[in-house]
Amino acid sequence: MPPAPEAAAIEDAAALALRLRDELARGHLGDGRAVELLVAALLADGHVLIQGAPGLGKTRLVRALAGLLELDFGRVQCTPDLMPADVTGGEVLDEGADGRSFRFVEGPVFCQVLLADEINRATPRTQSSLLEAMEERQVSAGGRSHPLPRPFFLCATQNPIELEGTYPLPEAQLDRFLFQLELRRPELGTLQRILELPRTPDEARPLMNAAQLLELRRLAALVPLPAGATAAVATAVHATHPDADEAPAEVRQHVRYGASPRAGIATLAGARALALLRGRAHVSPEDLRDALLPALRHRVLLRYEAVAAGVSVDDLVRAVLASHPVR
């Protein structure tokens, strides 16, 4: 097992990550936890699905993050008529002096930070075109694989209220996202502060380049876990399955399918990134608990009756943690 990073390295990395978090929070008021989890997912080399009603600043938040990173930024506005090649690119016929040949033309996915806005408005075929990019960090076309730039970070947004003309993401695609973040409406005092913000904010100066981000990711992956952390996370993930002995009564009643093993992997990766962001030399139970909810939120499938009754996955995850505390 690789040695844990030195305290000085953790301190320097945390200072840089904190600058990124604080600068991002300046333009997105009222939801500091979502900002922190977004930065943690970036450090954990994962992708993020941001869900919230219109007007809560989902797109603005991702744009602000991209502005603070000295990385190539791409944006795709998802619509029902968007084709897979509009995202990934494809082969085109090239008629040159030597005759006809095919060459690959890169799509907007060939960037380092990609915003897929309103991803649930794209058809399932177009949604699935991102699967290989998210998991293997490459695009296959014409029998060849085309690697994406490193690092590659996908942020997708979706509106859970407006359902007409949308295509819910399948479970296989949801499972590719490290975290699902929920943006909620601001409180009255925060709303007033938002209204006082300038409509055209000053362009942010980048705080981090690709090499610095890759180093932060390397350090985050080395943050050690406390004894019993993997057992606690495994128990919590297993308890989301209604047929598991560890499942609380709420899960048995309302859940159709529980979370996959990837949920546990995402929890540990997110907890390590949170520990680094918070300047800790090791993962704490608080880091594990904070990473567990956004890692499980989109990986637990509820029964139809539970959805109709207004039961939320968040409530069920809290019931799991109440039955199996992460200490």
Side-chain angles (χ1 to χ4, degrees):
M1 182 176 179
E6 297 180 357
I10 289 289
E11 185 177 343
D12 292 342
L16 180 58
L18 275 172
R19 286 179 60 202
L20 178 65
R21 186 200 68 181
D22 293 345
E23 190 65 31
L24 191 60
R26 285 180 54 196
H28 188 86
L29 304 177
D31 206 339
R33 176 59 59 88
V35 170
E36 183 179 50
L37 289 171
L38 177 62
V39 175
L42 175 72
L43 301 183
D45 195 13
H47 308 295
V48 173
L49 177 63
I50 305 176
Q51 183 165 281
L56 295 183
K58 301 183 296 296
T59 301
R60 177 172 175 150
L61 178 61
V62 179
R63 281 191 172 276
L65 176 64
L68 294 169
L69 301 172
E70 197 174 327
L71 304 175
D72 294 332
F73 174 67
R75 182 179 182 274
V76 175
Q77 180 63 53
C78 296
T79 55
D81 60 347
L82 189 72
M83 298 299 291
D86 297 330
V87 179
T88 62
E91 293 201 324
V92 298
L93 183 62
D94 191 5
E95 298 191 22
D98 299 332
R100 295 183 175 183
S101 62
F102 286 92
R103 62 183 176 89
F104 181 75
V105 177
E106 296 180 350
V109 74
F110 282 84
C111 62
Q112 293 170 306
V113 178
L114 177 66
L115 168 60
D117 216 355
E118 295 186 291
I119 190 172
N120 55 335
R121 288 199 173 279
T123 62
R125 183 183 178 191
T126 302
Q127 291 173 4
S128 65
S129 68
L130 286 168
L131 283 171
E132 185 182 18
M134 295 174 70
E135 190 67 19
E136 281 82 29
R137 303 318 204 255
Q138 66 179 25
V139 170
S140 296
R144 296 181 58 191
S145 297
H146 305 272
L148 296 175
R150 294 297 181 98
F152 175 70
F153 180 55
L154 170 67
C155 283
T157 71
Q158 66 176 10
N159 171 12
I161 297 177
E162 191 175 358
L163 300 179
E164 185 176 352
T166 62
Y167 304 86
L169 290 169
E171 285 69 35
Q173 182 126 19
L174 287 171
D175 209 26
R176 271 23 180 228
F177 289 98
L178 186 90
F179 286 161
Q180 177 177 319
L181 307 183
E182 299 281 341
L183 294 190
R184 309 189 187 280
R185 65 180 179 86
E187 297 178 351
L188 178 59
T190 303
L191 176 59
Q192 182 176 344
R193 292 170 58 202
I194 291 173
L195 297 179
E196 293 170 352
L197 290 174
R199 294 301 90 197
T200 54
D202 296 334
E203 187 173 345
R205 295 181 58 185
L207 299 177
M208 191 183 304
N209 57 33
Q212 290 171 308
L213 176 56
L214 291 173
E215 176 61 14
L216 289 183
R217 286 182 170 181
R218 186 189 72 82
L219 290 173
L222 296 177
V223 175
L225 297 167
T230 54
V233 170
T235 299
V237 172
H238 198 248
T240 64
H241 292 263
D243 58 348
D245 294 338
E246 297 83 0
E250 296 91 336
V251 169
R252 295 176 186 272
Q253 180 182 358
H254 298 303
V255 173
R256 185 180 178 191
Y257 296 112
S260 70
R262 193 180 274 123
I265 297 171
T267 299
L268 295 177
R272 283 184 160 112
L274 282 171
L276 178 72
L277 181 57
R278 294 166 176 175
R280 297 191 177 114
H282 58 83
V283 173
S284 74
E286 180 187 6
D287 301 324
L288 292 169
R289 290 192 296 268
D290 289 346
L292 197 60
L293 180 57
L296 290 176
R297 179 179 280 138
H298 53 300
R299 293 183 166 100
V300 176
L301 186 61
L302 300 180
R303 298 179 186 273
Y304 173 79
E305 298 83 0
V307 175
V311 176
S312 72
V313 175
D314 289 21
D315 294 335
L316 297 179
V317 173
R318 294 186 185 101
V320 167
L321 287 175
S323 299
H324 307 283
V326 177
R327 296 189 177 97

